Each structure stands twice: as C-alpha cells, then as structure tokens.
Amino acid sequence: MLNVGIIGVGSMGTQHFLRIMNKIHGATVVAVSDINEAHAKEVIAPYPSVRFIADPFALINDPEVDAIVIVSIDSTHEEYCLEAIKCGKFIFCEKPLSASAEGAKKVVDAEIAGGKRLIQMGFNRRFDPAYEELKALVVSGKLGAPLVAHCAHRNANYPAQYNDVVAVTGTAIHEIDTMAWLVGDYFTKAQVIFPKCSRHSKNKDLHDPQIVMLTTSSGMVISCEIWVNCQYAYDIRCEVLCEDGTATLPRPSRVDVCTNQTHYKGMTTDGLGYFAEAYDREFQAWADACNAGTYCKAAASAWDGYCAAVTTDACLKSQKSGAIEEVPLTDRPNFYKG
Ligand code: ISE
C-alpha cells in the first residue's frame, strides 16, 4: 500500500484526496498539509487515520509518507519537488512544475543528479480516452503527416484575480503539453495575439480571449484559443489537419434534447468533472508505478514539465512584445527517453 501525503487541499486537492481515499487501488492518504488548517481539518474529518501536518516540509520528510502529491499554489511546486527529490520520494506534481523555466530546470537537474525518475506531472489529458484516440490516429500515419492544429480551451467564468500570466501558465499550458505529446514534438516558436477583449473580462490585466500560436521543430503550426470567461460552458476542442484528412477530438457524449421547436445537447461548466475519468486513470497509473518502484511511461515527466515552462515563458514574453519569440528547447536527454 502506497502511503501518500498531499500538500494543498483546495478544490482540486480535495478531489485528489477523495479520489485516492475512495477510488484508487493500492494507495491511501496518511497526511495532509494546507495553509488553511481549518479547511484541511474539515476535509480529513471523515477519515480519522489521516493526520494534518502544518509544515509541508515536515510532511515531505515524514517517515510514514512514501510519496507526495503537490496541489498547492503554483509558486510552491518547485521547492516541494526539490525537497521530495532530496528524500528520494515519488512525486505527483500538478502543473506547472515551477513558475519559471529557470526554476523547472533546477528540478530537472536535481532529479538527474539523484539518478532516478521520481516526478509525474499532472497533465491529465494524456489519460483522457478521447485525446488517446485522437493521438493514436494521428500517430498511425493513416491521415498522413500532421500539418496544423486548432485548439480551443474555454472556461465559463473566472474570478477577477485571473490575469494574462495565469491564462498562459494555468490554462494554455494544457494545450502546450497535450499538443507536444500528441504530435511527439517540441516547440521552437511562440506568439500570443490579443484580439478584441470581451466585456466579461473582470481584470484589466486579462485579455480574454487570446490566441497562442506555436510552431513545432518540424514546422507544424498550432493555434490555441484561450478564453476563460466564455460564459456558456467548459469546452475543449482540438482539430488536427493532416496531409490526407482531418481528425477532431470527440466531444463528450450528452443526451440529445428536442423541445419547443429547439434541438440541443447539454454542456457543463465543471472542468474537473469533464476530465474526471482522466484524473482517475492518471492517479491509478501513478500509484501502480510507485508500487512497482518505477515511473509511469504514459505520464508527463519532469522534462515535459520543463518543456512546458520554457514554452510558457516564451508566451509571456510575447504577450509583452507582441512578437514571435524563440522557444529555446532542445531534444529530450537520454534520462527522459522511454
Ligand atoms: C485550471 O488550472 C485547470 O487545470 C483547468 O483544467 C483549466 O481549464 C483552467 O483554465 C485552469 O485554470
């Protein structure tokens, strides 16, 4: 049984906690840490075997804790990963790996120096059956080489704190990792374009929607529309244009309704619910790999987290310059192959 310690039980952390306690085989949570002690204690109250440990570093070093799940605020991920690497413990780190490419590089260097792959990044879409189906078709080559992709990432509504930085490091980062994985390439150029801004943007520092343009090392061009106050629902789209046809991400199946001379299908605003199956599968894969003493090949590694951070840094630069920015990435080191 894998004894897990979770740092951060906000909305996503609480879902991960409940998922591990109730759905994942071979793993259980033994300790939780959160800056909001009262809330964390409420979350763990129905589970008397789970301890609250106020200091996240003490949780990481706790002898009962075998593996760490990091779901705390983005700016803390790097330091917790570095500490867990020092302890030689397996880590599940929600994206991003670090707030900067420089920070992500420190984590990668520490992992390589330790000689063992310990980090699985929480890029959940790699475990989504719809994305898996799309990737399998593209990789099969049945439609010829992929040339272009159009992605859309729409959230219904975001609070006023959401700004241009988070639009890239919290939202576009999913398209960045997913598309790199889907086409098996990395990015060399990035540009962010600001169209006319929606009146629903609640922050003068949030251009909503915005378009992230990415070029891969093979010359594929990928457009990602990031629209975090689209109002109508949580909506994820992806179409890949290949030499001999196009492949489109299947939409979630919903009841088809006809009423009052109208025809519709329902949608949801709940992003965590939309990808619930992918989250379950990525945690089961993580627990299985940890119990086998290794890393999960299907999951994103610290190197993928680093690639995403280098790409988001270039996007942030482009938001300011308006220009096409270089993404200084190189081929995957041997340590991260396979
Ligand atoms: C959030 O952090 C996520 O991970 C969601 O999947 C994404 O839709 C949202 O835009 C992010 O803020």
Side-chain angles (χ1 to χ4, degrees):
M1 181 63 72
L2 184 75
N3 287 335
V4 176
I6 300 189
I7 308 175
V9 279
S11 55
M12 177 175 258
T14 298
Q15 289 209 9
H16 289 343
F17 169 72
L18 295 173
R19 172 171 284 117
I20 296 173
M21 291 312 269
N22 300 307
K23 287 190 173 173
I24 304 303
H25 304 287
T28 190
V29 180
V30 292
V32 158
S33 188
D34 194 285
I35 42 170
N36 185 341
E37 179 168 346
H39 169 72
K41 286 187 168 164
E42 254 172 55
V43 172
I44 63 176
Y47 303 90
S49 58
V50 183
R51 286 180 294 140
F52 175 77
I53 302 179
D55 175 8
F57 290 94
L59 176 140
I60 294 169
N61 283 278
D62 191 279
E64 197 196 358
V65 172
D66 303 323
I68 320 293
V69 173
I70 301 170
V71 209
S72 46
I73 52 165
D74 294 359
S75 57
T76 60
H77 295 184
E78 177 189 329
E79 55 179 341
Y80 298 154
C81 281
L82 289 172
E83 186 68 17
I85 290 171
K86 258 195 231 159
C87 298
K89 294 188 180 179
F90 284 112
I91 303 150
F92 179 100
C93 180
E94 269 305 338
K95 50 81 190 166
L97 182 55
S98 162
S100 70
E102 205 190 336
K105 181 74 174 37
K106 280 189 203 153
V107 179
V108 161
D109 288 346
E111 195 180 40
I112 294 175
K116 184 168 182 187
R117 278 173 59 177
L118 295 171
I119 298 180
Q120 174 168 329
M121 289 298 303
F123 283 120
N124 58 302
R125 292 189 192 174
R126 292 180 179 223
F127 291 87
D128 176 62
Y131 269 111
E132 280 178 348
E133 199 183 324
L134 181 61
K135 177 180 164 69
L137 179 63
V138 171
V139 169
S140 75
K142 283 185 193 146
L143 295 178
L147 310 170
V148 170
H150 300 297
C151 309
H153 187 151
R154 299 178 188 157
N155 297 100
N157 238 304
Y158 259 131
Q161 311 85 278
Y162 220 84
N163 60 16
D164 283 340
V165 174
V166 204
V168 164
T169 60
T171 301
I173 196 168
H174 280 294
E175 273 60 33
I176 288 170
D177 178 70
T178 306
M179 296 314 294
W181 161 77
L182 202 144
V183 300
D185 203 349
Y186 58 88
F187 303 111
T188 53
K189 291 190 181 91
Q191 184 183 24
V192 180
I193 297 164
F194 293 146
K196 184 175 173 181
C197 188
S198 160
R199 70 184 160 84
H200 295 295
S201 168
K202 300 176 200 80
N203 184 336
K204 65 173 179 34
D205 294 322
L206 174 68
H207 293 79
D208 198 35
Q210 48 190 275
I211 314 290
V212 174
M213 300 293 298
L214 301 165
T215 305
T216 69
S217 79
S218 79
M220 230 192 126
V221 172
I222 299 171
S223 68
C224 312
E225 171 213 299
I226 306 302
W227 188 12
V228 297
N229 286 289
C230 82
Q231 305 298 299
Y232 69 88
Y234 187 77
D235 196 7
I236 303 296
R237 301 178 183 208
C238 178
E239 182 184 23
V240 185
L241 282 56
C242 303
E243 290 167 313
D244 299 313
T246 71
T248 300
L249 186 72
R251 320 275 327 248
S253 64
R254 301 269 166 195
V255 175
D256 205 286
V257 182
C258 297
T259 178
N260 196 22
Q261 298 110 56
T262 313
H263 177 198
Y264 70 87
K265 269 185 201 238
M267 297 182 86
T268 180
T269 56
D270 171 17
L272 293 177
Y274 187 103
F275 280 118
E277 187 180 353
Y279 289 119
D280 291 348
R281 294 178 75 216
E282 74 172 342
F283 267 96
Q284 191 58 64
W286 179 66
D288 291 347
C290 294
N291 281 327
T294 183
Y295 61 91
C296 169
K297 286 191 179 155
S301 63
W303 179 258
D304 298 305
Y306 165 72
C307 291
V310 174
T311 310
T312 54
D313 266 13
C315 293
L316 296 175
K317 207 165 158 196
S318 175
Q319 281 179 332
K320 294 217 162 65
S321 68
I324 299 174
E325 298 290 349
E326 298 294 320
V327 181
L329 278 173
T330 50
D331 272 336
R332 186 173 292 273
N334 283 339
F335 188 75
Y336 290 106
K337 283 185 181 154

